[in-house]
Amino acid sequence: MQEQENQPSIPPWVWILGLVTVAIGAQMWLTGSFDGPEKIPMDEVAALIEAGEVKSITVRKDKIEVVLPDGTIYGSTKHSDDSLTETWEYYGISTEQLASIDYSVPDQAAMNTMISIAITILPILLLIWIFSRGFRQMQGGSGGIFGFGKSRAKNLNDGDRPTVTFADVAGVDEAKQDLVEVVQFLKEPEKFVQVGARIPKGVLMIGPPGTGKTLLARAIAGEAGVPFFHISGSEFVEMFVGVGASRVRDLFNKAKQNAPSIVFVDEIDAVGRQRGAGMGGGNDEREQTLNQILVEMDGFDNETNIIVMAATNRADVLDPALLRPGRFDRKVFVDLPDVKGRESILKVHGRGKPIDEAVSFRDMARLTAGFSGADLENLINEAAIFAARRDQKTIGMLEFQDAFDRVALGPERKSKVMSENDKLTIAYHEAGHAVVSFHLPNTDPVQKITIVPRGQAGGYVMPLPEDRMVVSREFFEDKITMTLGGRAAEEIFFGRITTGASSDLQQATRMARAMIMEYGMSDVLGLPTYSSGGSNPFLGRQMAYLGNQRNYSEEAARIIDSEVKKILESGYEKALEIIRENPDKLMSLAKTLLDMETLDRTVFEDLMTDVPTDSSLAMA
Ligand code: ADP
Ligand code: MG
Ligand code: ZN
């Protein structure tokens, strides 16, 4: 497939010009548009024959070519209504006279058919050829029109063998921890199979662009020393129906032949979007490709030592079929790095570069809140470019500052850089959630607090959920209170309210409505449920259109609204109260957050109970 690329190729316009010329020429020849030999009338031809001065006659349809012994050629046209025999008779030429002449009638019919076929087919061939060129370019030169079904996984036969390892991936320790097991399995599958352990088949990595998802997948292959087969969902979107599926089949076959191995499906959201969602009907190609991925994964048995890894930054749009047990049932979040993470990423990419001693990666990490790993790599690279342009031997702080401006404002950045002011607001907001949660009896413990953005959220407080079969009214109330804690903190400390709390409000409202409408937790409305059914506000995705069908009266709707308001207001009051009672706790938490960006449960609880920790010392 590759060799084709190296052939000296004739420019397309030469081909087109040539073919067109041939076609037109043939057409002209058929219709006799060439000037040809001197024309004489038919009776002169007859006279020449009678005089015995003709050597040969060639008849093509109604064109007659007369050659004299001296080589002179004349052309003539017979009267097309008459047959040639009739014409000779008319001029009184006998068969004997004709017999003495070299008289030939080439098989015109056959010739004509061939030429008309050629004329019909040439343009078609031309079109096919142009199309095949086009497709080959679309495919980036892999195999042209006949290479469609072949997977573009790099190095088809034995995969790619990455040399990167976990050491090259920094700042995503949680994700790495989650993936260690995958490496172990790939290294020693027998160990797991022997004890009948169910092996992970599919691992879905979720995170914003540039956080190192592809890098992690390659690092796993590198750590385990197994081949790596890579395809990208976006490649399939513009293909012919059926091609994507056959590529997937091909890819998995190769992976199986080289097992243990990793199949990496990048941008899986491009093929794995919810089927039937969105406008304008489904995309058959996408569905078939997705189905084929699922069929392949379902076909794995315990002996199949392949791990399918997929990456997306839009887990919310994925088809639920992908997330079912036995498919991509492991989810690994690859978040934007926090300040420590950014520092270690800078170190990884600064390795082997002549970086000035005055440059502090610590300070650079502080400055770059909101940067992804790819942004940081880019930052170092830009700094190096500045240094080279300035004829410097080392990369100094000035270069880093200029590079920062370029990267932070650059067009390719997808995540936004956080301003100091944003960080401050978010830190107090998240601290508000956490402090309120800590002081409520019915909430889950706080597992992690961070001001590193994820998705639309500026930061988040992650609870450690306990398993509950049933949920009490108090749990709901406390959860609503905690959800409103962010906004309450903003109001108390800044006296203003930002848009940062809008999704909190939505969530709290949804919970309050569910309490009243689905769980009969309102004193006023009592037991009847008013839900249109089907959607669970905590588990399911929101089906906005379901909410439109109402099966209750205007009166009930008004009461529901006022009850929801009551629940929200009392929750908000309670949140304000807790924060007013613990302003110093909240402030020290917010400060620690500004410094560390991410806190885990122990650091958080120590802060709340005033035990000094390493991290609170590090604050200074
Ligand atoms: P994603 O697949 O999540 O969009 P990539 O893995 O393609 O991101 O990252 C692009 C590049 O950015 C990587 O090749 C690497 O150089 C750098 N990078 C991203 N994240 C990290 C990280 N956590 N540690 C080190 N380098 C990173
Ligand atoms: Mg990627
Ligand atoms: Zn919030």
Side-chain angles (χ1 to χ4, degrees):
M1 282 194 277
Q2 286 306 102
E3 298 88 77
Q4 286 187 350
E5 290 302 294
N6 302 332
Q7 274 175 13
S9 61
I10 300 162
W13 61 268
V14 172
W15 275 96
I16 294 169
L17 208 69
L19 287 171
V20 168
T21 314
V22 168
I24 290 174
Q27 183 72 35
M28 278 170 58
W29 181 67
L30 247 196
T31 53
S33 325
F34 286 123
D35 280 347
E38 190 191 330
K39 296 274 186 298
I40 52 172
M42 217 36 205
D43 50 348
E44 272 185 42
V45 176
L48 283 171
I49 296 173
E50 278 197 307
E53 286 175 17
V54 174
K55 187 176 156 229
S56 72
I57 290 179
T58 313
V59 184
R60 289 193 179 88
K61 252 180 159 179
D62 41 7
K63 297 260 181 297
I64 293 166
E65 200 176 276
V66 183
V67 183
L68 308 189
D70 62 359
T72 325
I73 302 175
Y74 293 116
S76 185
T77 310
K78 92 172 165 67
H79 211 273
S80 55
D81 288 349
D82 308 329
S83 81
L84 205 55
T85 336
E86 279 169 342
T87 311
W88 300 140
E89 260 172 25
Y90 173 83
Y91 288 111
I93 292 165
S94 64
T95 9
E96 290 80 45
Q97 276 171 314
L98 282 177
S100 65
I101 298 169
D102 189 358
Y103 191 93
S104 67
V105 182
D107 193 347
Q108 266 316 118
M111 277 292 279
N112 281 349
T113 325
M114 265 169 61
I115 288 166
S116 16
I117 288 175
I119 286 174
T120 330
I121 281 181
L122 272 179
I124 296 175
L125 285 177
L126 196 72
L127 277 178
I128 292 179
W129 176 78
I130 289 170
F131 271 115
S132 78
R133 293 282 309 184
F135 279 124
R136 199 152 66 196
Q137 269 157 15
M138 247 168 54
Q139 292 191 309
S142 77
I145 202 163
F146 303 112
F148 268 165
K150 291 284 178 221
S151 142
R152 277 174 66 202
K154 303 219 176 70
N155 198 344
L156 263 186
N157 290 322
D158 44 3
D160 188 6
R161 286 187 182 263
T163 50
V164 286
T165 64
F166 275 165
D168 299 302
V169 196
V172 284
D173 297 337
E174 280 169 57
K176 276 203 258 180
Q177 267 164 32
D178 290 343
L179 293 167
V180 164
E181 190 193 34
V182 175
V183 175
Q184 281 169 347
F185 165 69
L186 287 168
K187 264 185 177 161
E188 301 172 289
E190 319 81 36
K191 220 166 81 179
F192 289 77
V193 173
Q194 246 169 30
V195 295
R198 197 171 68 83
I199 306 306
K201 270 190 222 174
V203 180
L204 179 65
M205 290 184 292
I206 303 162
T211 45
K213 298 180 293 297
T214 309
L215 189 65
L216 268 171
R218 293 176 60 81
I220 288 177
E223 288 277 333
V226 301
F228 181 78
F229 296 87
H230 175 172
I231 41 170
S232 175
S234 59
E235 284 167 27
F236 296 121
V237 176
E238 282 163 31
M239 303 254 75
F240 293 145
V241 172
V243 173
S246 83
R247 262 199 199 172
V248 169
R249 207 176 309 128
D250 187 55
L251 181 82
F252 275 83
N253 281 338
K254 301 289 181 207
K256 276 179 206 158
Q257 284 160 24
N258 292 281
S261 59
I262 287 186
V263 172
F264 179 59
V265 188
D266 208 352
E267 300 176 61
I268 195 167
D269 45 303
V271 287
R273 270 169 195 269
Q274 261 164 38
R275 283 171 282 198
M279 315 294 255
N283 176 330
D284 274 351
E285 177 54 19
R286 235 161 48 187
E287 286 194 10
Q288 291 198 14
T289 308
L290 174 63
N291 283 341
Q292 191 61 39
I293 293 175
L294 296 179
V295 164
E296 295 289 346
M297 290 182 75
D298 290 346
F300 287 4
D301 51 29
N302 241 6
E303 314 283 282
T304 316
N305 302 329
I306 297 177
I307 303 244
V308 186
M309 302 195 66
T312 180
N313 45 28
R314 298 289 317 271
D316 52 327
V317 300
L318 286 186
D319 196 304
L322 273 172
L323 307 175
R324 276 216 272 292
R327 291 170 179 175
F328 291 99
D329 47 2
R330 300 251 173 143
K331 291 190 204 67
V332 174
F333 286 94
V334 188
D335 287 325
L336 288 173
D338 63 10
V339 62
K340 256 196 236 147
R342 292 194 298 273
E343 190 180 341
S344 47
I345 293 174
L346 284 170
K347 277 185 191 144
V348 165
H349 288 286
R351 274 192 313 226
K353 295 201 172 66
I355 289 167
D356 201 286
E357 275 168 27
V359 174
S360 155
F361 280 158
R362 192 118 202 248
D363 294 347
M364 286 315 302
R366 262 166 218 288
L367 205 68
T368 47
F371 268 41
S372 67
D375 293 330
L376 293 166
E377 185 197 10
N378 198 7
L379 175 78
I380 294 200
N381 190 45
E382 289 291 341
I385 291 173
F386 275 117
R389 276 213 235 125
R390 293 169 190 170
D391 288 328
Q392 285 174 202
K393 293 268 179 303
T394 59
I395 311 171
M397 202 62 200
L398 202 63
E399 283 70 49
F400 271 97
Q401 265 148 15
D402 292 343
F404 174 81
D405 291 342
R406 173 168 289 187
V407 176
L409 305 174
E412 63 271 47
R413 265 183 58 75
K414 299 195 178 71
S415 42
K416 55 178 192 295
V417 65
M418 274 164 77
S419 71
E420 284 302 312
N421 202 10
D422 285 352
K423 264 173 87 172
L424 194 74
T425 313
I426 292 168
Y428 274 83
H429 178 105
E430 299 307 328
H433 285 305
V435 169
V436 169
S437 171
F438 187 79
H439 290 92
L440 288 168
N442 300 299
T443 48
D444 295 321
V446 170
Q447 185 189 9
K448 178 178 161 187
I449 316 169
T450 179
I451 58 168
V452 175
R454 175 190 278 182
Q456 293 301 307
Y460 56 91
V461 172
M462 187 193 280
L464 183 69
E466 282 161 11
D467 269 344
R468 299 191 167 75
M469 287 299 284
V470 289
V471 176
S472 69
R473 180 170 163 169
E474 289 71 31
F475 174 82
F476 273 127
E477 283 170 354
D478 282 2
K479 198 154 171 84
I480 290 172
T481 304
M482 176 213 170
T483 306
L484 296 171
R487 185 187 160 107
E490 286 187 47
E491 191 182 324
I492 289 176
F493 286 93
F494 302 111
R496 66 189 151 84
I497 286 152
T498 65
T499 53
S502 78
S503 72
D504 291 344
L505 289 181
Q506 278 167 20
Q507 205 196 337
T509 310
R510 230 182 307 146
M511 279 191 280
R513 288 184 83 84
M515 282 174 71
I516 295 163
M517 296 169 68
E518 282 175 39
Y519 306 122
M521 288 175 178
S522 154
D523 297 329
V524 181
L525 283 163
L527 292 177
T529 67
Y530 297 88
S531 152
S532 35
S535 69
N536 180 323
F538 297 104
L539 303 175
R541 49 196 162 95
Q542 256 193 310
M543 305 278 235
Y545 52 91
L546 278 183
N548 291 338
Q549 351 169 309
R550 234 170 39 186
N551 57 2
Y552 44 85
S553 66
E554 281 296 322
E555 174 67 11
R558 222 181 6 257
I559 302 178
I560 289 172
D561 285 345
S562 86
E563 284 289 281
V564 166
K565 204 167 165 220
K566 228 161 67 186
I567 293 178
L568 292 180
E569 275 172 357
S570 89
Y572 192 57
E573 277 310 316
K574 198 159 176 191
L576 286 171
E577 196 184 302
I578 293 174
I579 294 173
R580 288 206 182 98
E581 279 165 13
N582 300 281
D584 44 337
K585 289 271 163 52
L586 197 149
M587 277 162 68
S588 79
L589 176 58
K591 283 199 186 107
T592 315
L593 269 175
L594 279 171
D595 195 50
M596 315 272 297
E597 295 184 13
T598 304
L599 303 183
D600 63 14
R601 181 177 176 175
T602 45
V603 177
F604 167 64
E605 287 180 354
D606 288 351
L607 263 171
M608 290 295 106
T609 50
D610 272 338
V611 179
T613 61
D614 288 349
S615 56
S616 56
L617 292 176
M619 253 173 63

